[in-house]
Amino acid sequence: GQQVMQIPQYQHVQEGEDFTTYCNSSTTLSNIQWYKQRPGGHPVFLIQLVKSGEVKKQKRLTFQFGEAKKNSSLHITATQTTDVGTYFCAGPPTSGTYKYIFGTGTRLKVLA
Amino acid sequence: NAGVTQTPKFQVLKTGQSMTLQCAQDMNHEYMSWYRQDPGMGLRLIHYSVGAGITDQGEVPNGYNVSRSTTEDFPLRLLSAAPSQTSVYFCASIIPGTDTQYFGPGTRLTVL
C-alpha cells in the first residue's frame, strides 16, 4: 500500500536555529497538506499545496511541493519555543477523494 | 459554532466490551472521517463519509463500524474491543471547497 515517510523522526534545535522536515510518498499525491499537533492536542491544518513545484510561505514557515508531486518539505526559519510540536504531511493519492494518507510525523523540540 | 466535538474524552474498556465514540459538528460539513493515532505514529484513516447515508472504508477499518444518519453526527462503534484498539481517536470534517480538515479534540481509549 501507499506509504508516506517523514524525516527526521525527531529534531531538537536551539531557539533561533532553522528546522526542516521532509515528506516522501511512495506514490504521486494529488495535493499535500501540512498539519501541526501540539503535545496532547489535535492536528491543526497549516497549508495545502496543489501544483507541482509550488512554494508557499507563512511568516517564518516555507512549504514546498516537489516537481513529481511525491515529496514535500517544511522549513522553519529562526525557530521559537511556540514551534514545538509534531508536524505531519498528508495527501490523497487520487484527486477528488478524501482518503488521506498521513506521514509518520516529525517531532520538533526547541530549546530556549 | 462549537466546531467538531467528541465524547467521551477518555474511556477505559475491557476486552470484548462494546462502545460508541461520538462525533458531532455544527458547521454543516458533508465530509467527516475517523482516524486513529498510535504512539509515535501518524494518523490512520478508519472510515469516512461524504454525506448522510454514505460511508466508506479507510486504511484500517477492521473492528469498527460507522453510520451517518444525519449531516451533524458520525459515530464510531467498536463491537468487541481488543487491546490492539488502544489508541487516540480523532474525528474530522472538511470545510467545503477547501479540503481543509478540521479535527476534534480526540478520545483517548484504553482497552485492557
Side-chain angles (χ1 to χ4, degrees), chain A residues 66-96:
Chain A
E67 293 290 342
K69 302 184 80 173
K70 293 178 71 173
N71 54 72
S72 181
S73 65
L74 158 60
H75 179 81
I76 302 178
T77 303
T79 55
Q80 299 174 358
T81 54
T82 53
D83 295 325
V84 165
T86 302
Y87 293 84
F88 293 100
C89 61
T94 306
S95 178

mmCIF file of all heavy atoms in Angstrom, chain A residues 66-96:
data_model
loop_
_atom_site.group_PDB
_atom_site.id
_atom_site.type_symbol
_atom_site.label_atom_id
_atom_site.label_comp_id
_atom_site.label_asym_id
_atom_site.label_seq_id
_atom_site.Cartn_x
_atom_site.Cartn_y
_atom_site.Cartn_z
ATOM 1 N N GLY A 66 7.129 18.983 -4.363
ATOM 2 C CA GLY A 66 8.087 18.547 -5.366
ATOM 3 C C GLY A 66 7.516 18.519 -6.775
ATOM 4 O O GLY A 66 6.306 18.435 -6.977
ATOM 5 N N GLU A 67 8.442 18.542 -7.740
ATOM 6 C CA GLU A 67 8.037 18.552 -9.154
ATOM 7 C C GLU A 67 7.253 17.309 -9.532
ATOM 8 O O GLU A 67 6.315 17.364 -10.328
ATOM 9 C CB GLU A 67 9.278 18.674 -10.040
ATOM 10 C CG GLU A 67 10.009 19.999 -9.946
ATOM 11 C CD GLU A 67 9.239 21.164 -10.549
ATOM 12 O OE1 GLU A 67 8.302 20.919 -11.348
ATOM 13 O OE2 GLU A 67 9.539 22.324 -10.197
ATOM 14 N N ALA A 68 7.631 16.172 -8.962
ATOM 15 C CA ALA A 68 6.957 14.912 -9.272
ATOM 16 C C ALA A 68 5.739 14.674 -8.383
ATOM 17 O O ALA A 68 5.061 13.653 -8.522
ATOM 18 C CB ALA A 68 7.938 13.748 -9.110
ATOM 19 N N LYS A 69 5.445 15.614 -7.496
ATOM 20 C CA LYS A 69 4.313 15.515 -6.562
ATOM 21 C C LYS A 69 4.393 14.259 -5.703
ATOM 22 O O LYS A 69 3.379 13.644 -5.377
ATOM 23 C CB LYS A 69 2.977 15.604 -7.297
ATOM 24 C CG LYS A 69 2.826 16.888 -8.107
ATOM 25 C CD LYS A 69 1.475 17.029 -8.771
ATOM 26 C CE LYS A 69 0.430 17.514 -7.816
ATOM 27 N NZ LYS A 69 -0.859 17.829 -8.468
ATOM 28 N N LYS A 70 5.620 13.858 -5.347
ATOM 29 C CA LYS A 70 5.807 12.715 -4.460
ATOM 30 C C LYS A 70 6.552 13.120 -3.191
ATOM 31 O O LYS A 70 6.724 12.298 -2.293
ATOM 32 C CB LYS A 70 6.587 11.600 -5.174
ATOM 33 C CG LYS A 70 5.826 10.966 -6.327
ATOM 34 C CD LYS A 70 6.656 9.908 -7.044
ATOM 35 C CE LYS A 70 6.839 8.671 -6.208
ATOM 36 N NZ LYS A 70 7.506 7.591 -6.952
ATOM 37 N N ASN A 71 7.015 14.373 -3.136
ATOM 38 C CA ASN A 71 7.689 14.803 -1.927
ATOM 39 C C ASN A 71 7.392 16.253 -1.633
ATOM 40 O O ASN A 71 6.946 17.018 -2.506
ATOM 41 C CB ASN A 71 9.201 14.564 -2.028
ATOM 42 C CG ASN A 71 9.781 15.215 -3.259
ATOM 43 O OD1 ASN A 71 9.885 16.430 -3.325
ATOM 44 N ND2 ASN A 71 10.149 14.421 -4.238
ATOM 45 N N SER A 72 7.637 16.612 -0.376
ATOM 46 C CA SER A 72 7.344 17.961 0.089
ATOM 47 C C SER A 72 8.261 18.267 1.259
ATOM 48 O O SER A 72 8.863 17.366 1.859
ATOM 49 C CB SER A 72 5.880 18.069 0.525
ATOM 50 O OG SER A 72 5.565 19.380 0.956
ATOM 51 N N SER A 73 8.396 19.542 1.550
ATOM 52 C CA SER A 73 9.210 19.932 2.705
ATOM 53 C C SER A 73 8.577 21.120 3.413
ATOM 54 O O SER A 73 7.834 21.904 2.819
ATOM 55 C CB SER A 73 10.643 20.277 2.270
ATOM 56 O OG SER A 73 10.640 21.421 1.431
ATOM 57 N N LEU A 74 8.903 21.210 4.701
ATOM 58 C CA LEU A 74 8.500 22.349 5.534
ATOM 59 C C LEU A 74 9.757 22.880 6.193
ATOM 60 O O LEU A 74 10.478 22.122 6.849
ATOM 61 C CB LEU A 74 7.488 21.897 6.587
ATOM 62 C CG LEU A 74 7.338 22.760 7.858
ATOM 63 C CD1 LEU A 74 6.901 24.169 7.504
ATOM 64 C CD2 LEU A 74 6.355 22.119 8.815
ATOM 65 N N HIS A 75 10.027 24.146 5.997
ATOM 66 C CA HIS A 75 11.213 24.779 6.577
ATOM 67 C C HIS A 75 10.763 25.899 7.506
ATOM 68 O O HIS A 75 9.936 26.728 7.122
ATOM 69 C CB HIS A 75 12.103 25.346 5.463
ATOM 70 C CG HIS A 75 13.324 26.037 5.970
ATOM 71 N ND1 HIS A 75 14.451 25.353 6.342
ATOM 72 C CD2 HIS A 75 13.579 27.351 6.177
ATOM 73 C CE1 HIS A 75 15.372 26.221 6.750
ATOM 74 N NE2 HIS A 75 14.867 27.434 6.661
ATOM 75 N N ILE A 76 11.300 25.878 8.723
ATOM 76 C CA ILE A 76 11.020 26.956 9.673
ATOM 77 C C ILE A 76 12.303 27.744 9.895
ATOM 78 O O ILE A 76 13.338 27.166 10.260
ATOM 79 C CB ILE A 76 10.491 26.422 11.020
ATOM 80 C CG1 ILE A 76 9.226 25.590 10.807
ATOM 81 C CG2 ILE A 76 10.198 27.586 11.977
ATOM 82 C CD1 ILE A 76 8.654 24.978 12.089
ATOM 83 N N THR A 77 12.241 29.023 9.682
ATOM 84 C CA THR A 77 13.389 29.907 9.889
ATOM 85 C C THR A 77 13.352 30.461 11.315
ATOM 86 O O THR A 77 12.291 30.876 11.790
ATOM 87 C CB THR A 77 13.348 31.073 8.894
ATOM 88 O OG1 THR A 77 13.323 30.543 7.563
ATOM 89 C CG2 THR A 77 14.543 31.988 9.058
ATOM 90 N N ALA A 78 14.502 30.440 11.961
ATOM 91 C CA ALA A 78 14.626 31.032 13.304
ATOM 92 C C ALA A 78 13.546 30.528 14.240
ATOM 93 O O ALA A 78 12.634 31.266 14.633
ATOM 94 C CB ALA A 78 14.617 32.555 13.219
ATOM 95 N N THR A 79 13.646 29.246 14.602
ATOM 96 C CA THR A 79 12.610 28.618 15.420
ATOM 97 C C THR A 79 12.382 29.352 16.739
ATOM 98 O O THR A 79 13.289 29.990 17.296
ATOM 99 C CB THR A 79 12.978 27.166 15.737
ATOM 100 O OG1 THR A 79 14.276 27.139 16.344
ATOM 101 C CG2 THR A 79 12.943 26.304 14.499
ATOM 102 N N GLN A 80 11.144 29.245 17.223
ATOM 103 C CA GLN A 80 10.761 29.805 18.514
ATOM 104 C C GLN A 80 10.159 28.688 19.353
ATOM 105 O O GLN A 80 9.754 27.647 18.807
ATOM 106 C CB GLN A 80 9.737 30.934 18.308
ATOM 107 C CG GLN A 80 10.261 32.085 17.479
ATOM 108 C CD GLN A 80 9.198 33.127 17.168
ATOM 109 O OE1 GLN A 80 8.029 32.986 17.546
ATOM 110 N NE2 GLN A 80 9.595 34.192 16.468
ATOM 111 N N THR A 81 10.061 28.902 20.652
ATOM 112 C CA THR A 81 9.524 27.844 21.524
ATOM 113 C C THR A 81 8.078 27.513 21.161
ATOM 114 O O THR A 81 7.597 26.408 21.420
ATOM 115 C CB THR A 81 9.622 28.256 22.993
ATOM 116 O OG1 THR A 81 8.982 29.526 23.168
ATOM 117 C CG2 THR A 81 11.084 28.371 23.433
ATOM 118 N N THR A 82 7.388 28.443 20.553
ATOM 119 C CA THR A 82 5.996 28.188 20.142
ATOM 120 C C THR A 82 5.898 27.226 18.956
ATOM 121 O O THR A 82 4.802 26.779 18.611
ATOM 122 C CB THR A 82 5.296 29.504 19.773
ATOM 123 O OG1 THR A 82 6.107 30.185 18.796
ATOM 124 C CG2 THR A 82 5.108 30.392 20.988
ATOM 125 N N ASP A 83 7.040 26.925 18.316
ATOM 126 C CA ASP A 83 7.040 25.993 17.182
ATOM 127 C C ASP A 83 7.051 24.541 17.636
ATOM 128 O O ASP A 83 6.927 23.636 16.803
ATOM 129 C CB ASP A 83 8.249 26.246 16.289
ATOM 130 C CG ASP A 83 8.215 27.617 15.631
ATOM 131 O OD1 ASP A 83 7.110 28.090 15.298
ATOM 132 O OD2 ASP A 83 9.297 28.220 15.466
ATOM 133 N N VAL A 84 7.185 24.302 18.935
ATOM 134 C CA VAL A 84 7.235 22.935 19.459
ATOM 135 C C VAL A 84 5.979 22.162 19.069
ATOM 136 O O VAL A 84 4.870 22.672 19.140
ATOM 137 C CB VAL A 84 7.386 22.961 20.992
ATOM 138 C CG1 VAL A 84 7.066 21.598 21.588
ATOM 139 C CG2 VAL A 84 8.767 23.404 21.384
ATOM 140 N N GLY A 85 6.174 20.908 18.653
ATOM 141 C CA GLY A 85 5.048 20.062 18.283
ATOM 142 C C GLY A 85 5.486 19.032 17.262
ATOM 143 O O GLY A 85 6.666 18.905 16.952
ATOM 144 N N THR A 86 4.520 18.294 16.748
ATOM 145 C CA THR A 86 4.779 17.316 15.700
ATOM 146 C C THR A 86 4.148 17.809 14.413
ATOM 147 O O THR A 86 2.987 18.222 14.409
ATOM 148 C CB THR A 86 4.214 15.937 16.075
ATOM 149 O OG1 THR A 86 4.798 15.506 17.305
ATOM 150 C CG2 THR A 86 4.523 14.921 14.985
ATOM 151 N N TYR A 87 4.927 17.765 13.353
ATOM 152 C CA TYR A 87 4.470 18.239 12.048
ATOM 153 C C TYR A 87 4.205 17.039 11.145
ATOM 154 O O TYR A 87 5.060 16.170 10.973
ATOM 155 C CB TYR A 87 5.512 19.173 11.425
ATOM 156 C CG TYR A 87 5.649 20.461 12.198
ATOM 157 C CD1 TYR A 87 6.481 20.540 13.314
ATOM 158 C CD2 TYR A 87 4.923 21.590 11.835
ATOM 159 C CE1 TYR A 87 6.595 21.715 14.046
ATOM 160 C CE2 TYR A 87 5.029 22.770 12.557
ATOM 161 C CZ TYR A 87 5.859 22.822 13.654
ATOM 162 O OH TYR A 87 5.964 23.991 14.383
ATOM 163 N N PHE A 88 3.005 17.014 10.581
ATOM 164 C CA PHE A 88 2.591 15.918 9.700
ATOM 165 C C PHE A 88 2.292 16.441 8.306
ATOM 166 O O PHE A 88 1.693 17.506 8.148
ATOM 167 C CB PHE A 88 1.309 15.263 10.218
ATOM 168 C CG PHE A 88 1.438 14.511 11.516
ATOM 169 C CD1 PHE A 88 1.045 15.092 12.713
ATOM 170 C CD2 PHE A 88 1.938 13.217 11.538
ATOM 171 C CE1 PHE A 88 1.161 14.396 13.907
ATOM 172 C CE2 PHE A 88 2.052 12.515 12.730
ATOM 173 C CZ PHE A 88 1.663 13.108 13.919
ATOM 174 N N CYS A 89 2.674 15.644 7.312
ATOM 175 C CA CYS A 89 2.187 15.891 5.966
ATOM 176 C C CYS A 89 1.090 14.870 5.688
ATOM 177 O O CYS A 89 1.027 13.824 6.329
ATOM 178 C CB CYS A 89 3.300 15.792 4.931
ATOM 179 S SG CYS A 89 4.079 14.169 4.844
ATOM 180 N N ALA A 90 0.233 15.177 4.745
ATOM 181 C CA ALA A 90 -0.864 14.267 4.401
ATOM 182 C C ALA A 90 -1.325 14.566 2.994
ATOM 183 O O ALA A 90 -1.305 15.714 2.553
ATOM 184 C CB ALA A 90 -2.030 14.415 5.380
ATOM 185 N N GLY A 91 -1.772 13.514 2.303
ATOM 186 C CA GLY A 91 -2.286 13.757 0.966
ATOM 187 C C GLY A 91 -3.097 12.588 0.470
ATOM 188 O O GLY A 91 -2.890 11.447 0.900
ATOM 189 N N PRO A 92 -4.051 12.853 -0.427
ATOM 190 C CA PRO A 92 -4.793 11.770 -1.058
ATOM 191 C C PRO A 92 -4.089 11.349 -2.358
ATOM 192 O O PRO A 92 -3.647 12.206 -3.130
ATOM 193 C CB PRO A 92 -6.144 12.425 -1.368
ATOM 194 C CG PRO A 92 -5.823 13.859 -1.586
ATOM 195 C CD PRO A 92 -4.561 14.164 -0.823
ATOM 196 N N PRO A 93 -3.959 10.064 -2.612
ATOM 197 C CA PRO A 93 -3.283 9.628 -3.833
ATOM 198 C C PRO A 93 -4.089 9.953 -5.088
ATOM 199 O O PRO A 93 -3.524 10.079 -6.164
ATOM 200 C CB PRO A 93 -3.133 8.121 -3.647
ATOM 201 C CG PRO A 93 -4.205 7.765 -2.660
ATOM 202 C CD PRO A 93 -4.356 8.941 -1.770
ATOM 203 N N THR A 94 -5.383 10.095 -4.940
ATOM 204 C CA THR A 94 -6.236 10.302 -6.095
ATOM 205 C C THR A 94 -7.015 11.596 -5.933
ATOM 206 O O THR A 94 -7.609 11.839 -4.890
ATOM 207 C CB THR A 94 -7.239 9.143 -6.260
ATOM 208 O OG1 THR A 94 -6.515 7.921 -6.289
ATOM 209 C CG2 THR A 94 -8.050 9.304 -7.533
ATOM 210 N N SER A 95 -6.991 12.411 -6.965
ATOM 211 C CA SER A 95 -7.710 13.678 -6.932
ATOM 212 C C SER A 95 -9.200 13.434 -6.762
ATOM 213 O O SER A 95 -9.756 12.503 -7.352
ATOM 214 C CB SER A 95 -7.449 14.440 -8.230
ATOM 215 O OG SER A 95 -8.177 15.646 -8.247
ATOM 216 N N GLY A 96 -9.825 14.245 -5.940
ATOM 217 C CA GLY A 96 -11.265 14.140 -5.750
ATOM 218 C C GLY A 96 -11.679 13.156 -4.682
ATOM 219 O O GLY A 96 -12.863 13.032 -4.389
#
